[in-house]
């Protein structure tokens, strides 16, 4: 049984259908890369998973249990199990790094402050920011801020980490330091859904690639298969365009 099972999910913004029956599976410890053209619905899939957009139909199961997104309690519960990191890292500008990472676990999750702070220091060391515990966001580079955002998500101890183009707002020379962190997490067995346009990285780190187009999954399989020998014309065209860059 996959750890996360998404079946035939339909979602709309108003009358505009943006997901038209999306299905995908993620096993424990697996890294699934979600790729596809702009507007194909990648971010929307992640938003649905964490309950930011209620699906119209279809089902999501985590650990075999169906999630009812109409229930506020179940949405809260699901946000205990999945954490999302966005392209724009959205750190609290008026709080130092430690407080950014510890705030939600202490205030919202009501976990023990000492335990959370110990975990936060360990996580910040792990993302290479052990020296920056008391820096404020505006004293950090974009890459450092994004690594704080990843540490903040990890402090929630998620079962599944959702990463939405976490390197695309960064200057090119800062991309690698963030990819290094993701690479380490993958090696340690973190379950992840990774939306990314960095195809070389996707090839290296993903166990499976899921390609979306127009609100649907059009191909999925191992990176070598999807990136090198796509079956659909649409995927060939897409990879032809981006792999040339
Ligand atoms: N808040 C919103 N309100 C209305 N429509 C939206 C909203 N967010 C996204 N959409 C629409 O939903 C569709 C899917 O958007 P989504 O952000 O999921 O695409 P994406 O694959 O993540 O694209 P990108 O690669 O550009 O990030 C698009 O047509 C978009 O215009
Ligand atoms: Mg997006």
């Amino acid at each position: 049984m996959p750890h996360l099972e998404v079946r035939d999910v339909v979602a709309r913004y108003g009358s505009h259908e943006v997901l038209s029956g999306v299905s995908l599976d993620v096993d424990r410890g697996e890294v699934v890369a979600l790729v596809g053209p702009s507007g194909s619905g990648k971010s929307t899939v992640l938003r649905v998973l964490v309950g930011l957009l209620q699906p119209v139909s279809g089902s999501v199961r985590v650990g075999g249990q169906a999630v009812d997104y109409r229930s506020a309690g179940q949405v809260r519960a699901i946000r205990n199990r999945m954490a999302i990191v966005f392209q724009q890292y959205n750190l609290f500008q008026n709080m130092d790094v430690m407080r950014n990472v510890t705030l939600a676990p202490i205030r919202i999750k009501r976990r023990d402050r000492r335990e959370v702070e110990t975990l936060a220091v360990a996580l910040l060391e792990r993302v290479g920011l052990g020296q920056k515990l008391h820096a404020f966001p505006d004293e950090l580079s974009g890459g450092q801020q994004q690594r704080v955002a990843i540490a903040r998500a990890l402090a929630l101890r998620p079962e599944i980490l959702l990463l939405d183009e976490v390197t695309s707002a960064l200057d090119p020379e800062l991309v690698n330091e963030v990819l290094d962190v993701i690479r380490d997490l993958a090696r340690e067995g973190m379950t992840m859904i990774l939306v990314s346009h960095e195809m070389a990285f996707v090839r290296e780190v993903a166990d499976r690639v899921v390609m979306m187009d127009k609100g649907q999954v059009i191909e999925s399989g191992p990176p070598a298969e999807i990136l090198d020998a796509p079956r659909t014309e649409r995927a060939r065209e897409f990879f032809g365009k981006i792999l040339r860059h």
Side-chain angles (χ1 to χ4, degrees):
M1 181 181 62
H3 188 49
L4 172 69
E5 187 186 86
V6 178
R7 284 290 171 276
D8 301 320
V9 163
V10 174
R12 298 192 188 110
Y13 285 109
S15 60
H16 179 33
E17 186 170 287
V18 291
L19 299 181
S20 309
V22 167
S23 300
L24 60 92
D25 290 341
V26 183
D27 289 328
R28 230 177 242 285
E30 198 178 26
V31 179
V32 171
L34 211 51
V35 305
S38 182
S40 57
K42 306 178 298 294
S43 296
T44 305
V45 169
L46 303 189
R47 292 173 61 86
V48 166
L49 288 175
V50 296
L52 292 171
L53 177 68
Q54 208 173 295
V56 177
S57 60
S59 67
V60 174
R61 285 172 177 275
V62 182
Q65 279 179 320
V67 182
D68 179 357
Y69 285 100
R70 290 164 305 187
S71 148
Q74 290 203 23
V75 168
R76 260 198 309 279
I78 207 67
R79 288 187 192 154
N80 276 326
R81 306 180 71 175
M82 294 188 213
I84 189 165
V85 182
F86 298 100
Q87 175 182 347
Q88 295 300 345
Y89 11 91
N90 302 322
L91 298 179
F92 306 115
Q93 294 297 317
N94 58 335
M95 296 177 195
D96 70 7
V97 164
M98 272 297 279
R99 232 167 110 61
N100 263 281
V101 174
T102 57
L103 186 74
I106 293 171
R107 284 284 176 80
I108 300 168
K109 307 282 155 82
R110 308 249 168 234
R111 278 162 41 201
D112 177 68
R113 172 180 294 274
R114 295 269 291 279
E115 176 240 329
V116 171
E117 286 176 350
T118 305
L119 173 65
V121 170
L123 289 171
L124 286 162
E125 274 168 5
R126 173 159 149 196
V127 301
L129 292 173
Q131 306 301 314
K132 298 284 186 185
L133 302 184
H134 298 294
F136 282 79
D138 66 1
E139 299 167 329
L140 301 175
S141 72
Q144 290 171 333
Q145 292 189 55
Q146 190 56 285
R147 285 183 282 145
V148 174
I150 292 173
R152 181 173 62 175
L154 292 171
L156 298 167
R157 294 186 304 206
E159 291 165 31
I160 307 176
L161 185 63
L162 312 177
L163 301 170
D164 194 354
E165 298 198 46
V166 292
T167 58
S168 57
L170 301 178
D171 292 338
E173 68 269 27
L174 302 180
V175 167
N176 277 326
E177 61 189 44
V178 173
L179 295 185
D180 282 344
V181 168
I182 301 171
R183 192 179 279 123
D184 283 348
L185 290 171
R187 211 175 286 135
E188 290 162 20
M190 186 80 210
T191 308
M192 289 187 274
I193 303 182
L194 174 74
V195 175
S196 180
H197 290 294
E198 307 270 346
M199 287 305 151
F201 184 65
V202 163
R203 182 191 297 274
E204 175 200 329
V205 83
D207 298 298
R208 223 144 37 74
V209 176
V210 171
M211 162 137 192
M212 293 187 62
D213 187 36
K214 299 195 179 83
Q216 290 184 311
V217 172
I218 60 167
E219 300 209 14
S220 90
E225 205 173 281
I226 304 299
L227 301 182
D228 298 334
R231 291 179 297 268
T232 61
E233 184 52 39
R234 187 67 190 97
R236 271 197 292 277
E237 187 194 337
F238 175 71
F239 292 124
K241 260 189 213 146
I242 60 168
L243 291 178
R244 254 184 278 122
H245 290 307

